[in-house]
Amino acid sequence: MTGRSGKTGVMWWFLTMTPALGAPDAPPECLPDCAGSRWRQLDLRGTSLRRVDLRGASLFEVDLRKCDLRGADLRGADLAGANLKKADLRHAVADRTTRWPKRRPRDVRLLGPEAWLVGADLSGLDLRDLDLQEARLDRARLQRTDLRGTNLTGAVLDGGSFEEALYDPTTQWPGKPPPEAYGLAPQAELSGILVDRNRDLSGVDLAGANLVRASLQAVTLEGANFSGADLSGADLRNADLRNANLRGARLIETRLEGARLAGANLTGVVRGRWDPPLPGN
């Protein structure tokens, strides 16, 4: 009988004596919005976690080998006990409070003042109130990114893409705001605006704004001010409008199925002749 020796023998012993790994665990139900989650001893090998929001999350003994974490938001996450071997972290973002098993992976972009974000894909991220002074954002992609309250003073934005990005009067720009971005403010011209589902716009002031045919499906608008706004033809299905001010708003042919309107001010709302009753009324 031919014997086994050296590396071949060691490999044969490992394959025959080591139990086979079971199937990975099911992905957490919170995906993709898992900010603040606490994951413990999960086997998520090879799972797609692309663009997952893990801000402030704790991942204790979580196996993330070969996971797709492209575009993940890892700011403030505790990954010290996670296994990130061969995970794809391209365009993932983190900050100085993120904890790593060893050192920060090379593909992860660090957010903060003077950050080097040339060519970074920051699309759809919530960057509210973030300090990005003097950051290099040349050719960066910020489509649908929430930039309300973000400080971009002195930042380089040459060649950046800002389609459908959101900003408000507290956003600080190095110059004029990009014309393709949406400025959320009273009297704003926002006809046809498309906002990502589950975006949190609580308390936004859009009094008197033109929101004709706006897509705000499943957006959180709790306490928002829409007094006198034109929301004709807008899609507000499953939106959270609790305690919102809709006094005198035009809601002609507005889709409101599943919308939450508890506590909303509906005084003087204008509805079309054939529009159904408002939810809860």
Side-chain angles (χ1 to χ4, degrees):
M1 182 176 64
T2 303
R4 296 181 174 87
S5 61
K7 293 182 179 179
T8 303
V10 171
M11 182 60 69
W12 173 84
W13 180 89
F14 179 81
L15 292 173
T16 55
M17 300 302 292
T18 304
L21 292 172
D25 295 320
E29 295 182 358
C30 61
L31 294 176
D33 301 311
C34 298
S37 297
R38 297 292 180 264
W39 297 356
R40 296 179 61 86
Q41 298 176 331
L42 289 177
D43 181 356
L44 298 176
R45 287 169 294 136
T47 302
S48 177
L49 300 174
R50 192 169 184 179
R51 296 196 176 279
V52 65
D53 185 352
L54 287 171
R55 286 175 293 169
S58 175
L59 283 70
F60 178 73
E61 293 185 0
V62 176
D63 191 344
L64 297 170
R65 285 176 292 171
K66 297 184 179 181
C67 278
D68 184 353
L69 284 159
R70 286 176 292 173
D73 193 340
L74 305 172
R75 286 175 285 168
D78 186 353
L79 300 162
N83 188 341
L84 291 165
K85 187 175 181 180
K86 295 185 178 180
D88 189 345
L89 287 155
R90 286 173 294 171
H91 297 294
V93 297
D95 59 19
R96 298 191 184 281
T97 68
T98 306
R99 297 185 63 201
W100 302 99
K102 294 181 180 178
R103 58 180 178 273
R104 173 168 55 91
R106 181 175 55 185
D107 289 336
V108 176
R109 304 285 188 138
L110 193 66
L111 300 181
E114 302 181 6
W116 183 267
L117 299 167
V118 175
D121 185 358
L122 306 175
S123 302
L125 289 179
D126 183 348
L127 301 183
R128 283 178 291 174
D129 303 317
L130 186 64
D131 186 355
L132 288 173
Q133 295 184 74
E134 309 292 336
R136 290 295 301 269
L137 287 156
D138 321 46
R139 303 185 305 281
R141 286 171 280 175
L142 293 103
Q143 295 98 329
R144 307 182 317 281
T145 302
D146 194 340
L147 297 169
R148 289 175 292 157
T150 305
N151 187 352
L152 292 160
T153 305
V156 178
L157 308 179
D158 297 346
S161 301
F162 291 85
E163 288 83 1
E164 300 175 359
L166 305 177
Y167 69 94
D168 66 9
T170 67
T171 305
Q172 299 179 62
W173 297 95
K176 293 183 178 180
E180 65 270 30
Y182 292 132
L184 304 184
Q187 310 298 324
E189 175 55 58
L190 298 169
S191 177
I193 183 175
L194 173 63
V195 179
D196 287 344
R197 293 188 182 193
N198 302 314
R199 178 71 74 188
D200 189 350
L201 298 182
S202 297
V204 66
D205 188 356
L206 293 171
N210 179 5
L211 291 154
V212 173
R213 297 184 303 280
S215 180
L216 300 166
Q217 188 175 354
V219 174
T220 299
L221 297 161
E222 186 173 1
N225 184 7
F226 290 106
S227 58
D230 192 347
L231 288 153
S232 300
D235 188 349
L236 286 162
R237 287 176 292 171
N238 300 310
D240 186 349
L241 289 159
R242 289 175 296 171
N243 302 311
N245 183 3
L246 290 156
R247 185 184 183 92
R250 293 176 62 83
L251 299 176
I252 298 173
E253 296 184 2
T254 303
R255 300 288 301 275
L256 287 160
E257 300 94 301
R260 304 171 70 182
L261 288 163
N265 184 349
L266 301 172
T267 305
V269 164
V270 179
R271 294 284 279 166
R273 180 178 180 182
W274 307 110
D275 285 332
L278 292 172
N281 291 300

